[in-house]
Amino acid sequence: GDTITDLYEDMAAEQKARLTYDNILRIVKDPEIADPIRFLREREIVHFQRFGEALDIARDYLKQQKVFDMGNTNNITWR
């Protein structure tokens, strides 16, 4: 697939999961349930940030000019 598109989709999935956890936390008042949900919510935030960093790296890489050295091609027989 397309790396940039895949990373955007990953980021969107993390945001959707975070929103789901936010909605659950609005309803749940029991700390034994809310605490693990908070942990999962925080994990989604970290994942979103890491995917954002990966997106920046991928964009920078794709902006670079690529040069491939074919080496010495004098002894290649072309047919």
Side-chain angles (χ1 to χ4, degrees):
D2 177 26
T3 303
I4 301 298
T5 300
D6 291 345
L7 288 169
Y8 272 120
E9 289 174 355
D10 292 337
M11 292 173 71
E14 299 298 331
Q15 286 294 76
K16 184 177 178 183
R18 184 193 55 79
L19 183 59
T20 300
Y21 293 136
D22 285 343
N23 291 334
I24 292 170
L25 289 170
R26 272 195 280 282
I27 298 168
V28 172
K29 302 304 175 202
D30 183 350
E32 288 185 18
I33 296 172
D35 288 345
I37 298 297
R38 275 191 207 93
F39 169 78
L40 293 172
R41 181 186 177 279
E42 290 173 14
R43 188 180 67 167
E44 300 305 329
I45 293 169
V46 171
H47 290 167
F48 178 84
Q49 292 169 340
R50 296 301 169 260
F51 282 126
E53 292 168 3
L55 180 61
D56 291 340
I57 291 168
R59 280 186 184 145
D60 290 344
Y61 176 78
L62 293 172
K63 286 179 187 174
Q64 294 174 0
Q65 187 175 21
K66 317 275 185 315
V67 177
F68 298 95
D69 183 4
M70 298 291 291
N72 185 354
T73 58
N74 291 333
N75 31 344
I76 296 176
T77 304
W78 301 98
R79 297 178 189 203

